[in-house]
Amino acid sequence: MESITFASLAQIRVLLVPVGNIRRSTFEKCAQDIRSIDTVRLGDLTTDVKDDRSRFMPNHQLASGYLHLTYPSHPRPDSHTPLSLFRTSDFPLIAIGIASCGENDSLATILTQFQTSLHEVFPRESMFPLASNCFVFEESDSSTNINLGDNFPGLVVIPSVMGHKKTYVGTLIADLCSKVLVELATVMQILESPLGNEYLNATLFPILPPSSEMPRSLDDEVRRDSLPLLPSHNSQPELTTPALRSKSPLGLKRNSTMSPGLLPTRHASLPPTSPALPPKKRPTTIGAASSHGRLFKVLADFFLLAGRYQEASIWYTEAIVLFKTPQDAPWHASALEGLATIPVVEAWSSTNGINGTATDKDPWAESADRLTQAISLYQKASPNSEPEADLPLLAYLYCFSVLRHSTLLYSVWSSKGWGPLAFTTMIQPGPSPFLPATLPNNASATSASSARNSVAALERLTSITGITRAQIAASLSQAHGPWLLHLDARERVRVLEYIAAMFGSLGHVRKEAYVLREVLGCVMDLIVCGREERAAGSARALNSGMTVRNSVLGGSATQGTVGIRENERTDGNESLLRIVKHVCKVHGVDLEAVKLVDVHAPPNRDSQQSQSSENSEVDEDLLQSNRDPFGWPELQIGIVREAVAVAEALPDYSAVAQFSLSSLKLLHPVMSSGDQHHLYSTASRALLTAKRRGDRRAVDYWSGKPVISIEVLPLPIVRLPIEKPISILSQSAAGATSILAGAKDPFLYNPRKLMSAQTKTILVQNEPFELVVTLQNPYVFDLDLQSIQLSTSGVPFVSKASSLVVPANTFHPVTMSGKALEAGTLIIRGCIVQAPGGVAREFVLPLATEEEEERRSRRRSAIECEAGRSKHAGLDSRPWEKLSKRGSTQAASSSAKKTVRYLECKVVPEQPLLRIRRTSLTHGAVMLYNGEMSTIRITLENVSSLAVDLIRLTFDDSTIAPAQQALADGDLSVFDTYETEYDLVHRPVFTWNSEHEPHQIEPGQKRVITVNCFGKVGCTSGTIHVSYAFVQRPQASLQEPSEVFYTRQLSYPVLVTVYHMLECQGMDILSYSGATTAISPDDSDGESSPEAKARKSLLHVGDIADWCMFSIEVRNTYGLPFEVTFERKQEGEVQWRTAERRATSGVGHASVTSLVPPGSTSRIVLPVKKISLSEEHVSRPIPMLSDRQYVVTTSNLTAAEERAQRELFWYREELFKVVHGRWRENGGTRAGDLSLRQQRMTLPMLEALRVETARVRMTLVRYDDEGNAQPVSVDPSGSKYLPPPNEFVYLRTSIANLSPSELILTVNLTLEPSDHVVYQGELVDIPIGRIAKGESYEVETPVAFVSCGRFDFSAEVCALGRPRDSSLVGYGKMRIAVTDS
């Protein structure tokens, strides 16, 4: 609609009418050229009229001043016809038709079309327009044969080749203005008659009666005869006949309200054919009963339109003096409005665009006071008769008077005072009156608030002009009230629109939004009423058509009719919706939170925009979590309901869905469940309707960020590929040591291991995998998702989209599957979600790395820190306003791009797949005796299309974990640590001989592998792991071989039951004595059983000094008897040399078997040759069978104790290499090994087991007379010598060096009791000298026993050059029994 102009009382309205089939673009172009002529100089007005009709013409050709023109878009409504005399300036006084013609167009047709258009635009009884003409513009430059002649008056052809068209058009418009002034004089002549004045004062808003009731002037007949008989543009063709003219003078219509004096308006474009009559004096016979104030006021209005402001001011002043009665209050107010307008147009004419300053402080104050008085008069005015007809007009006049006063104040305020800019704004405001150039940031009434002028800029205008925004707003608020209901719909919308625009320009955005809501209500009423009228017309036409058809066909007219839905026109819908969005945004509701997207538009692949959208999505949850509430929720929800109702009434179903879903997204925390259900169902129906009607738009996904997390489910163990370096194939098998110590890493803290734990998830090419996507629904209704699928990049990926329903107020996990088609890196960015009726949208989910978490933490801290730092008043506290002014947001936008990481998966090449077809176990269980060995056969089948060329087996059992934990704790002693490691390494539960098993399995083939299972006490379960791979893959010739390969693993659990039936205990090692071998195994005395003979034969050895006896107890705790066998596997020989001879004794294999009944204990005795280990051997530390490093020893032993410990360990290990035990089920086939690892060795056992460094043999001899040595008799057991008393015998001590090196020895003899023994020589430190390896030396000492009894002799051999505590290298003893017999 056209804007309200302050100086509209001084403007002549020119209506531009399109004629014929002129193109819109051509009409707009021509109209734009015509509208550029907004003023006409008074000096350009010419007329041939010289009588009283030229009273409003300029006094002379050089008169200064202007006629102001305005170009409305519509004529006045019919309801404003009573204002034709009261407010003539509101009506189009000039009508200009715009037509285009070609070579084949007829000017007569164009003229007829122009007259028809005028007949359609102006009502039949209207006195307007006062002048009219049709401008015909040629379309082409080609010459046309157009001859105007005298047959086409009222039509002007403008050739296309004409130069200075604007000047020519300005001349034509000046001619039309001249004719208007002439016609105004004619109207004034009629009103000056007594009867005209009576009609002028008859009612509040008078109109002229029909011409038949008006008295005829004396010159009417002359003027009528002088006028040509041409049809009027508002008359029917038959009205031009003389007969009709006689009945209706001057060819006027019969129901016309115009007087005969108004006839020239019908022929304003034709010059008169008769000379002008001499001017007559003004009539002075005005009726005495009627006041002439109204006449003066109308006269002043005409002078104001004619640009003669002095005369207008005089007549306004005269009229105001005469307005006394209350009925004249509107006329009084209108006169005041005219007086308030005159200073503005005079000031404009005096400056005419030249900058100047006013001398008065407030030159607009007088005009403002007059307008204030006029407003008061309009408000007090009340119609005495016909209130239904007058009240709308009074309301119209009152509202426009208020707007004129507000426009005055606003124009002066926005133009920084009284000056040319203010005058131009009040006279020619242009299409944007509320965008003054004096303000830095211009904004429209419905633009974003961020583009509005700041408060500082607005207050600066107040300080300059002295006019406050409150004054303008108070004046403007007077127009808003219940009287607006009396206005017709178009004027009501115009007034409200103007009020809202001025409020918005003043910065009162909330008031603007309040008034805009009323504008929307008025417009929607018009739309609904127009739709109902069209529907009624269509129904009537349809019903009549159906009735005629039924009557023709002989049918009944009561049958059902066909409903016809007309296509709604969408022109202007976008403007209304923009107003709705602005109103809601003012109240803190962004109805564009959910975007409308053109589904047929090509997708935007701008990487920078994609990156920025990803970054905004990443920070969206942070902003939402720290968003403060704004506005009154109840008011916001009410406004949302109005917005949805407006969109439904247009109808715009896409906007209905957008508004409903946007309000749901923003206001669901404060919405009731009923409102949420209603809006969601409304949006769903609107989307379906829009899709059915072919709407190209669809809503973006609206429910916030639905994806909370994405987790890739680990592949099943049987399908999980394990990366191995290709170099492992060239290395030997790690053996059983790989199961030691649980924690394979030798370091307590290894950062490399932590980094390796964050490796990518491994997937397999062409094999499906699953992901768990967690979705959220914060609403009270179930959220339907039409489609959800994964968004990935990298290698090609196939995933099937699925639809689902997310329950209300829940976090809902969804399992999705897909597969990668190529090997490489698969990046899972997020999910692509599509709601029903909407478009799909990608929601990215960055990886929660330490860098990302730190960035989010800093961002959150910055937002929380700024939340209470600054205060925001009014509309600046809206979320998006605060966000735009937040420093953290600006810093984040100006900072460098951050790298966003996503979930990455490594896709390995396609892998083979095996399965366990069958096994030899029943129910996967095996039962064994302790130490028994069994076999398990497993059949493997290749169910893939790839071959298997590598098979490795690893094992696990229930005894490994506790042992590994004990080793990891480090609380075990060195000996226990070794035993634990030995048990893990050398006595595993499961073993496999890879050298005798196949490694190649072709697709579809089967292979059998054999696993040995060993019975170990404490083992309850175990697992057999089969690792396999396809290593030798075919590769392209130029492709580099891979440095890694991937294996898969099959696991077969085994339930193990081990029965503990035999226990070994009480191990002992004893030295041989003479009694042991005193009885020959061939003697027949004693026991004669084969077992006894075998035992005696076993115990009978050569030199008892080289042997010791190994004994152990075996207890049977089971219910069956077992045969226990211990065998000795010892090789070598014992050599020694004396001064007389050299002896050699061989060592063979021996074994002893014993049947151990249930519940009984048997001791097994087995002779074992003494063992000799080198010093280097026994000084070695106790080894560790694992590969652990940096193990700190916590032992507090001394060096001697540590040496003793090592000797015990190494001699024990050597003993267990010699002696082995096994068992066999009595009468059965089951057999196994018997372990001795639980037995400990003590120092006495060590002394009995190891070979002495220097061996000492003590014997008693006597010499006969010939000097031959004779041995002294020995008792039958061989343990005691029996020398005679009081007789000298010789104690012969033989010392043999059994060490690997020569020794320097001394001997110390001890004779007990020494008081009864007589000896010769020294007993202490008897030098032996240097004895080489394997050599021996004898020392003889004469002794005599002087009493009977038992004597104990001993000899200690010491080596020189050794520490005192280790100098003893040999020891010998003997027992002597002296008797008288």
Side-chain angles (χ1 to χ4, degrees), residues 642-896:
E642 294 180 6
V644 174
V646 169
E648 286 180 334
L650 287 177
D652 190 331
Y653 298 102
S654 297
V656 172
Q658 183 186 26
F659 295 172
S660 301
L661 298 179
S662 298
S663 57
L664 268 178
K665 180 179 180 180
L666 299 177
L667 301 178
H668 72 272
V670 296
M671 274 189 183
S672 63
S673 58
D675 289 336
Q676 292 191 37
H677 281 286
H678 170 70
L679 290 177
Y680 183 66
S681 59
T682 300
S684 301
R685 292 194 304 269
L687 289 173
L688 292 176
T689 305
K691 182 178 180 181
R692 187 170 60 249
R693 296 195 175 186
D695 197 336
R696 295 170 56 92
R697 299 172 298 168
V699 294
D700 198 358
Y701 187 82
W702 57 274
S703 178
K705 187 174 182 179
V707 183
I708 300 300
S709 65
I710 298 178
E711 179 184 1
V712 179
L713 294 180
L715 294 176
I717 299 300
V718 296
R719 291 181 176 269
L720 181 64
I722 304 172
E723 182 177 336
K724 301 289 183 181
I726 200 70
S727 59
I728 199 174
L729 299 178
S730 60
Q731 300 175 0
S732 60
T737 59
S738 60
I739 63 174
L740 287 175
K744 297 179 177 60
D745 194 355
F747 300 97
L748 297 179
Y749 173 75
N750 191 347
R752 294 179 179 270
K753 185 176 181 180
L754 296 178
M755 295 177 61
S756 63
Q758 300 177 357
T759 55
K760 303 176 184 178
T761 304
I762 296 181
L763 306 175
V764 183
Q765 176 185 355
N766 291 328
E767 290 191 12
F769 66 96
E770 293 184 342
L771 303 93
V772 175
V773 180
T774 304
L775 306 174
Q776 69 169 348
N777 178 13
Y779 307 102
V780 299
F781 49 83
D782 294 343
L783 183 61
D784 294 333
L785 297 181
Q786 179 179 344
S787 172
I788 177 172
Q789 60 181 345
L790 296 176
S791 173
T792 62
S793 61
V795 299
F797 177 77
V798 175
S799 176
K800 183 178 180 181
S802 59
S803 60
L804 55 94
V805 177
V806 183
N809 290 321
T810 58
F811 291 90
H812 184 61
V814 180
T815 302
M816 304 182 66
S817 62
K819 64 179 179 179
L821 302 181
E822 295 180 3
T825 300
L826 176 65
I827 301 176
I828 301 177
R829 296 168 48 87
C831 287
I832 300 176
V833 184
Q834 181 179 5
V839 297
R841 180 181 177 186
E842 178 188 14
F843 290 93
V844 297
L845 196 66
L847 195 62
T849 58
E850 294 183 0
E851 179 183 359
E852 179 67 17
E853 290 298 328
E854 182 180 359
R855 188 196 66 82
R856 290 170 64 88
S857 177
R858 291 198 304 266
R859 183 89 169 92
R860 187 181 296 106
S861 300
I863 294 175
E864 293 175 356
C865 180
E866 293 178 0
R869 179 178 298 178
S870 58
K871 294 183 179 180
H872 303 275
L875 297 181
D876 291 339
S877 60
R878 290 180 294 181
W880 51 86
E881 293 289 344
K882 294 169 62 177
L883 181 63
S884 63
K885 299 178 181 179
R886 182 169 290 166
S888 60
T889 305
Q890 298 173 0
S893 61
S894 61
S895 61

Side-chain angles (χ1 to χ4, degrees), residues 491 570 897 1180:
E491 296 301 333
T570 60
K897 293 182 179 179
R1180 289 185 301 178

Side-chain angles (χ1 to χ4, degrees), residues 397-569:
L397 295 173
Y398 169 76
C399 292
F400 277 79
S401 178
V402 171
L403 296 182
R404 182 173 282 106
H405 179 251
S406 303
T407 303
L408 172 66
L409 298 178
Y410 177 82
S411 299
V412 176
W413 173 79
S414 62
S415 301
K416 297 183 179 181
W418 187 264
L421 183 59
F423 307 151
T424 304
T425 303
M426 286 185 282
I427 296 178
Q428 299 294 341
S432 301
F434 298 105
L435 295 178
T438 56
L439 295 178
N441 297 325
N442 298 326
S444 62
T446 58
S447 63
S449 57
S450 60
R452 291 184 176 275
N453 300 304
S454 62
V455 177
L458 300 177
E459 291 300 327
R460 183 171 179 269
L461 297 180
T462 300
S463 63
I464 294 175
T465 60
I467 301 175
T468 64
R469 292 186 297 156
Q471 292 176 354
I472 303 175
S475 173
L476 189 63
S477 299
Q478 299 177 83
H480 188 269
W483 43 84
L484 292 176
L485 299 177
H486 293 287
L487 300 179
D488 60 354
R490 185 175 182 275
E491 296 301 333
R492 191 185 311 140
V493 171
R494 185 183 177 192
V495 171
L496 291 175
E497 179 186 8
Y498 195 82
I499 294 174
M502 187 172 290
F503 273 137
S505 182
L506 292 173
H508 301 319
V509 186
R510 287 194 177 95
K511 292 182 179 180
E512 172 197 21
Y514 178 77
V515 177
L516 285 177
R517 292 174 63 185
E518 297 190 14
V519 173
L520 289 173
C522 297
V523 174
M524 296 314 299
D525 288 342
L526 292 175
I527 293 176
V528 173
C529 293
R531 186 180 297 118
E532 290 177 353
E533 292 176 1
R534 291 197 303 269
S538 301
R540 287 194 298 270
L542 179 63
N543 291 335
S544 61
M546 292 297 294
T547 304
V548 171
R549 180 179 179 185
N550 290 333
S551 61
V552 172
L553 299 177
S556 174
T558 60
Q559 295 180 1
T561 60
V562 178
I564 298 179
R565 180 185 64 81
E566 295 183 356
N567 291 328
E568 293 87 357
R569 297 183 60 183

Side-chain angles (χ1 to χ4, degrees), residues 1076-1247:
T1076 306
T1077 57
I1079 302 175
S1080 175
D1082 297 333
D1083 293 343
S1084 60
D1085 298 338
E1087 299 179 359
S1088 59
S1089 63
E1091 292 80 2
K1093 291 182 180 181
R1095 184 168 56 254
K1096 290 181 179 180
S1097 175
L1098 177 67
L1099 295 176
H1100 185 76
V1101 294
D1103 188 0
I1104 62 174
D1106 294 333
W1107 294 83
C1108 62
M1109 286 188 298
F1110 169 82
S1111 67
I1112 191 168
E1113 292 181 354
V1114 179
R1115 186 168 70 93
N1116 187 354
T1117 61
Y1118 200 63
L1120 295 176
F1122 290 92
E1123 293 182 359
V1124 178
T1125 301
F1126 280 87
E1127 61 179 358
R1128 180 192 71 218
K1129 294 182 179 180
Q1130 198 170 17
E1131 296 181 358
E1133 60 182 12
V1134 178
Q1135 299 179 359
W1136 72 91
R1137 185 176 63 181
T1138 62
E1140 296 84 10
R1141 61 187 175 87
R1142 181 183 182 92
T1144 301
S1145 175
V1147 180
H1149 296 275
S1151 64
V1152 58
T1153 302
S1154 175
L1155 180 64
V1156 184
S1160 63
T1161 302
S1162 298
R1163 174 168 286 278
I1164 309 298
V1165 179
L1166 183 67
V1168 176
K1169 181 188 173 183
K1170 290 184 177 181
I1171 302 171
S1172 176
L1173 299 177
S1174 64
E1175 183 67 21
E1176 181 184 359
H1177 192 171
V1178 297
S1179 62
R1180 289 185 301 178
I1182 299 176
M1184 290 188 303
L1185 301 180
S1186 66
D1187 54 356
R1188 294 183 301 161
Q1189 301 177 13
Y1190 309 113
V1191 178
V1192 180
T1193 304
T1194 59
S1195 174
N1196 296 323
L1197 300 178
T1198 62
E1201 291 173 344
E1202 187 173 357
R1203 174 182 173 80
Q1205 185 186 52
R1206 292 178 180 180
E1207 287 185 356
L1208 288 173
F1209 173 79
W1210 289 114
Y1211 277 98
R1212 177 176 175 271
E1213 290 299 311
E1214 196 68 23
L1215 174 64
F1216 291 161
K1217 293 179 182 179
V1218 173
V1219 180
H1220 303 276
R1222 64 177 184 273
W1223 59 265
R1224 178 178 294 275
E1225 189 178 18
N1226 190 23
T1229 59
R1230 302 177 67 177
D1233 295 332
L1234 198 58
S1235 176
L1236 299 176
R1237 302 299 304 184
Q1238 292 79 20
Q1239 308 305 312
R1240 297 296 184 95
M1241 179 176 286
T1242 60
L1243 287 176
M1245 295 182 190
L1246 176 61
E1247 293 296 333

